[in-house]
Amino acid sequence: LWASMAAQDFRWLLPYLDLPVLLLHGGDSQLYDPAVHRWMASVIPRARRICLHQVGHRPHLEMPAEFNAALSAFAAAS
C-alpha cells in the first residue's frame, strides 16, 4: 500500500482545484520542507497557507489551540 501511494503523482491536478484549500503545516516538519507548502500554495488557485513555526509534522497535536483557531477561521471565511 505504501509503495502504491508513493508511486502516485497528482501534482498536475492541483491547479484545477476549484475550492478553498487550507495548507496548515508545521515549520519544523521533518517530513515536508516548508518549500513544499509554498509551492502548493502557488499552484492551487484558492489556497491559503498557514505555517505554525516551531511545530513539527503534527501541528494538530503539538499546538492544538492554534491549529483549531486557524482551521475555524478558515472554515468561517470559506
Side-chain angles (χ1 to χ4, degrees), residues 23-26 29 32-42 49:
L23 303 168
L24 179 53
H25 65 95
S29 173
Y32 298 101
D33 189 275
V36 171
H37 300 94
R38 285 192 298 271
W39 176 81
M40 289 176 68
S42 75
R49 184 177 75 88

Side-chain angles (χ1 to χ4, degrees), residues 35-77:
V36 171
H37 300 94
R38 285 192 298 271
W39 176 81
M40 289 176 68
S42 75
V43 298
I44 300 172
R46 297 171 60 191
R48 177 168 182 220
R49 184 177 75 88
I50 299 174
C51 178
L52 296 178
H53 300 283
Q54 299 178 342
V55 174
H57 184 66
R58 306 171 312 160
H60 60 292
L61 297 176
E62 296 174 47
M63 293 183 82
E66 292 81 353
F67 178 90
N68 289 335
L71 184 58
S72 295
F74 177 78

Side-chain angles (χ1 to χ4, degrees), residues 9-19 21 39-47:
D9 184 0
F10 296 108
R11 288 175 289 183
W12 67 273
L13 283 172
L14 296 179
Y16 298 101
L17 291 177
D18 187 25
L19 67 159
V21 174
W39 176 81
M40 289 176 68
S42 75
V43 298
I44 300 172
R46 297 171 60 191

